[in-house]
Amino acid sequence: MTTDAIAKRGERPWAAMGALALLLLALVVAALLSAPPARSQGEGGARYVGVASCAGSTCHGRMEGDGTVVRQDELMKWQEPSTPGGAHSRAWAVLQGSRSQFIARNLGIGDPARAPMCLGCHSTAGTARAVPAEDGVGCESCHGPAGGWIASHYAGISATADPDREMREKHLANLRAGLRKLEDPVVRAGVCVDCHFGAAGEGQFVTHRIMAAGHPRISFELDLFSSLQAHHHEDSDYGWRKFGASGARTDHVQMWAVGQATALERSLSLFQSRRGTEGMFPEFYFLDCHSCHRRIYDQAKPVKTSVDNPGRGAIPEGMPPYNDENLIMLAAAARVAAPALAEQLSARTAAFHKAMTVDRASAVAAAAQLGQTVSALKSAFASRGFSGADAFTLVDAIAAKATSDRFTDYAGSQQAVMGIDTLLNAMVSSGRVTVGAAAGIRADIDRAYTSVKDPNAYKPTDFQTSFGSAVSAIRALR
């Protein structure tokens, strides 16, 4: 998500859409990044076959969503020209726009539509040379190269006495053949985060230099982004195929929590790698933007332009801290879902922030320690289910003083708004809150989004006020 996406956030009406209840956030295409993810086990050397292989009218290319098992109009939704659901298909096309051309000129990389720096995330062709770059981010960027599983995937269901069981076994066979298990939050997060957050590979990391050239800042929230890109309904067929039970559905709270842990895990991993530096400088991508990007005053009466953040310890004035937007959310989730690890996370977070003031070697060592705790939290979240009641408890944890006092920067505050929005979605999809009740507090949520609409106008105290109002509205639904 980018600043432009936040600016559009309040323009869409609140609506529920089955188990993916809140299609709320309009992403600007120029900011959309998704792409060839890290290869899963058994996928090495697999063959890409391209979007056209999915486009038949007997597969996913229908004009109406009237299929008996799946909608079968998924390609049309992927190509939708005006909604977030069609953004992946437009990812390569935006490279021909004026903004992309401006960024490319600043970077001196030539045509952005052919530059490896851009194609790594704006087209499946960034790694799958056999598919057309013009397809943008195609089906296989998310579902995996289909050469090994497409034949079994489109094979029909026979006239058996137990078609649900057959659908389930067919899906498991497809997974063994290389289809990615996107219903698993850990797998899905690993697929999305490569470009929606960053990866070690070339063309999959938006550096501070690229942002300075004009590229939007990168931010990521797994469950909300998944809802925006869903091309299907979660019905009983979906439950049988993906989870082995007709009533089973995506656990949106779990998806949110695993996504937060995965983003931070990736951030710390990249920080420890060669990505952590840029020439003689640190890679500023990892640091809190607003610690440096503030107004400068030169006058007799001093004006304090920073806000103290209790979660970062005694960082010397003028020294930029680590961007802890996901750390803040993770701390709240840990207190609710993995209290045994919450204290360790707090201690290692403080040690990491302190080590950042010493030298790079100390910071890298502390990042490795913190990363171990984050990985343990990801596993803990992935191994437990979350309920609608947990969603309310997590809203309380995010709004608690220990957490809300840390909303001193734009990025962390943006994550907080997306977090409560996602948790409200989970309350609706779990039946804890009605669609009408959630729609009734939409204005409160939108005001919180407005307070993080423009990073240049962001004011911590104003945000905390609007955020508090949104939280109070959600609590009233309990």
Side-chain angles (χ1 to χ4, degrees), residues 114-405:
R114 302 296 175 210
M117 181 184 289
C118 306
L119 287 179
C121 280
H122 280 265
S123 175
T124 305
T127 55
R129 304 299 180 190
V131 302
E134 293 80 0
D135 281 351
V137 177
C139 316
E140 293 166 290
S141 282
C142 299
H143 295 282
W149 52 267
I150 190 169
S152 62
H153 177 67
Y154 65 63
I157 303 297
S158 59
T160 65
D162 193 354
D164 290 334
R165 180 182 178 86
E166 186 176 352
M167 283 195 298
R168 174 64 176 165
E169 291 177 347
K170 176 182 172 182
H171 178 64
L172 294 175
N174 290 336
L175 293 177
R176 290 191 293 270
L179 178 70
R180 294 199 182 105
K181 191 179 182 181
L182 297 181
E183 64 269 26
D184 182 332
V186 173
V187 174
R188 186 184 300 188
V191 168
C192 300
V193 79
D194 274 4
C195 276
H196 281 282
F197 201 88
E202 293 303 321
Q204 294 183 312
F205 186 69
V206 179
T207 64
H208 183 263
R209 186 166 63 90
I210 296 174
M211 287 188 285
H215 194 286
R217 188 185 75 85
I218 296 299
S219 185
F220 176 66
E221 201 277 87
L222 178 63
D223 186 69
L224 188 57
F225 281 33
S226 295
S227 296
L228 291 167
Q229 287 301 311
H231 303 318
H232 59 271
H233 295 326
E234 293 198 12
D235 52 13
S236 59
D237 288 335
Y238 184 91
W240 273 113
R241 287 197 315 278
K242 304 296 185 180
F243 304 111
S246 62
R249 298 292 184 270
T250 295
D251 186 332
H252 293 282
V253 180
Q254 183 188 57
M255 197 71 70
W256 170 79
V258 169
Q260 292 294 327
T262 302
L264 180 56
E265 183 182 50
R266 177 61 59 85
S267 177
L268 292 170
S269 174
L270 291 173
F271 173 76
Q272 296 172 64
S273 74
R274 63 182 180 85
R275 293 290 193 192
T277 58
E278 175 77 5
M280 65 177 285
F281 298 100
E283 173 47 70
F284 295 114
Y285 167 90
F286 296 105
L287 306 180
D288 174 7
C289 302
H290 276 74
S291 63
C292 293
H293 290 281
R294 300 197 307 265
R295 295 183 65 186
I296 298 173
Y297 295 90
D298 184 10
Q299 56 194 43
K301 184 178 181 180
V303 177
K304 183 175 175 59
T305 59
S306 63
V307 180
D308 292 334
N309 188 316
R312 293 170 175 170
I315 295 178
E317 189 73 20
M319 184 169 285
Y322 201 83
N323 175 16
D324 57 3
E325 58 180 303
N326 302 109
L327 256 173
I328 298 172
M329 295 297 99
L330 196 63
R335 287 196 294 273
V336 173
L341 289 168
E343 186 175 341
Q344 183 184 98
L345 178 70
S346 178
R348 289 186 170 179
T349 295
F352 175 54
H353 280 303
K354 183 177 180 180
M356 289 280 291
T357 70
V358 180
D359 54 36
R360 174 157 173 79
S362 300
V364 167
Q369 289 288 307
L370 179 57
Q372 292 175 5
T373 303
V374 173
S375 295
L377 280 167
K378 183 175 76 170
S379 297
F381 298 155
S383 64
R384 61 156 287 175
F386 290 80
S387 66
D390 286 326
F392 276 110
T393 305
L394 281 164
V395 168
D396 288 337
I398 293 172
K401 184 173 176 58
T403 303
S404 62
D405 282 352

Side-chain angles (χ1 to χ4, degrees), residues 2-73:
T2 68
T3 304
D4 288 337
I6 288 293
K8 294 275 188 176
R9 173 59 187 82
E11 298 174 9
R12 300 182 66 84
W14 192 92
M17 191 177 68
L20 295 174
L22 294 174
L23 186 58
L24 298 169
L25 188 62
L27 294 175
V28 171
V29 180
L32 179 84
L33 295 173
S34 182
R39 295 185 180 277
S40 58
Q41 185 177 0
E43 182 183 308
R47 181 172 57 89
Y48 287 80
V49 296
V51 170
S53 64
C54 308
S57 60
T58 58
C59 297
H60 299 290
R62 293 190 184 185
M63 297 304 293
E64 297 290 337
D66 55 1
T68 56
V69 177
V70 297
R71 293 178 56 90
Q72 292 188 250
D73 64 346

